[in-house]
Amino acid sequence: MLKKLKSAERLFLLIKKQLPFNVSSVSKGKIFSEVQRLISDDPESWLNVISFWKNLLELDAKKEKLSQRDANPQKMKTGKNGTIIGTKLKIEQMQETEENRECQLEKQIKETLEQGDSLTKREKFQEEEFPNVAKAADTHNENNLTFRVSCRCSGAIAKTFTAQEIGRIVGIALMKQFGWKADLRNPTLEIFIHLSDIYSVVGIPVFRVPLASRAYIRTTGLRSTIAWAMASIAEIKAGMFVLDPMCGFGTILLEAAKEWPDVYYVGADVSASQLLGACDNLTAAGLKDKIELLKVSVIELPLPSESVDVIISDIPFGKKFKLGKDIRSILQEMERVLHVGGTAVLLLSEAHHKHLKDCERSCIPMNSKGRHADELGIEKCVPPEENTSISKTVSSSLESNNQECLDKMPPFGSLVPMECYKVSLGKTDAFIYKYKKSHAPRL
C-alpha cells in the first residue's frame, strides 16, 4: 500500500528528531561533537528502529513472492481434440490459491505483530540469564551491516559545514559505535540526516528505491511526484480535454493519464528532442494511444479559442524564456484556448512569482494616499465572484488612461489565482499555482 503513494518522494523510519544546532555561538569542533552524540547518546533507539526496518523488508519480500507466484498462470489441460477441459479445475485452484494467500498474509501480519513481544521477552530473558551470550549474538548480527550516509544541510548550518563533512562525522561515529562497515555503492542500510534551521532529523528510508522513481518513465524530466500533485488539483474529469502546451518529456501527462484514463490528452512542445523523449515515455508506459503529441510553439497553439478544459504545465525557469514579454505571451495564449470556468495549474519559479505579482499589482488603481486600493496577490485565493468587483474597478480606471494601463495589464488577464503551494525541487524552490478562468477576455 505504501508503494502506491504518488506524491511522496521517500518514506523514512524516524530514529531521532531534535532542535537545530546553534552554529552561531559555538565552535566547529563543538558542533562535530554534538553531531556524534546523535548516535552515541541513545544507541538503543538505533537498534530498535533497524530491527523494525528488517521486519518490514522481510514482510515486503514475502508479499512480493506471493504476488509473483499468483501471477504465474496454471497450465490448462487439454483433451485429444485440443479443447480445454481444465476450466473447473482452474477455478478450484484459483479459489484455493486465494484462500491460502489470505491465510498466509493474515498469519504473517499476526507473526509480525507478535514478533516484537516475543523478541522483547527473549531478549529480557537472555539479558537476565545469559548477559554475555545475548550481547555477543546482537553484536554478531549488527556487525554484518554495511551502510551509507546521505546528508542534506540547509539554512545557517549549510553556510558553515558541507554535507560531506557532516556525513563523514556521522559515518565515523556509526563505525565506532556499532562496528558497521561503510559501503558507498551497495550498502545494506542507508542513513539519512537532514540538518536545517527548523530541526535536526535522522532516519532510515523505508524502501531502497525512492517512490518518485516510476518504472514506466524511461526519460526523466520534471519530478513525477510534482507532476502528480499538479494533476491532482486540476479537477480532471472523464471526457475532458487536457493540454500541456510545454510538455517536455511528458511527465505531467503521463501521471495524469495513469490516474484519469478516460480523458483526451494533448502535449505540445517546440523541441523535437523533447517530443522524442516524450514519445519513448508514452511507449514504455503503454499510453501512446492515450496522449497526442504536437510540435508547435506555446505562443501559437493550433487550437480554437476556449476549447480546452484543463491546462497543466511546467513553465521554464527563465533560462530559455525572458520573464517579461515571453511569459506574458505564453500566459495570454493559454488564457485564449482555455474555456470560461476552466482550470490552469502552472509550476512557476520564485522569479516568475515575483514578476507576475509585480505585474498584477501595477494594474491596481491607487487611492488618494498613493497606496494600492486593493492588494491582490498571487498567493491570495480570490473567488471568482469577488474578482468581479475588482475587474469593474480596474475597467473604470482603464477608461481614464487606456494606453498606459494596457501596458501594465497583468499577463494572466481573466485567470484568477485560486490556490498556491510551495514545493521543493532539490536545490531550488518553486510554486504550484491554480487558476480559474472567470470570464472571456475582451477583444
Side-chain angles (χ1 to χ4, degrees), residues 213-231:
S213 300
R214 308 288 203 249
Y216 49 81
I217 295 182
R218 260 185 211 169
T219 307
T220 57
L222 177 67
R223 286 187 182 182
S224 55
T225 48
I226 301 296
W228 187 91
M230 293 175 68

Side-chain angles (χ1 to χ4, degrees), residues 49 65 173 177 182 237 277 317 326 333 346 404-405 412 416 432:
V49 172
K65 188 175 181 180
Q177 183 69 43
K237 297 178 182 178
F317 282 17
D326 289 339
E333 181 68 354
L346 308 177
E404 182 181 352
C405 285
F412 35 76
V416 180
I432 297 176

Side-chain angles (χ1 to χ4, degrees), residues 281-297:
N281 284 336
L282 297 185
T283 303
L287 296 172
K288 201 169 183 180
D289 59 336
K290 291 282 186 179
I291 302 173
E292 184 177 350
L293 299 177
L294 302 175
K295 186 178 183 301
V296 295
S297 170

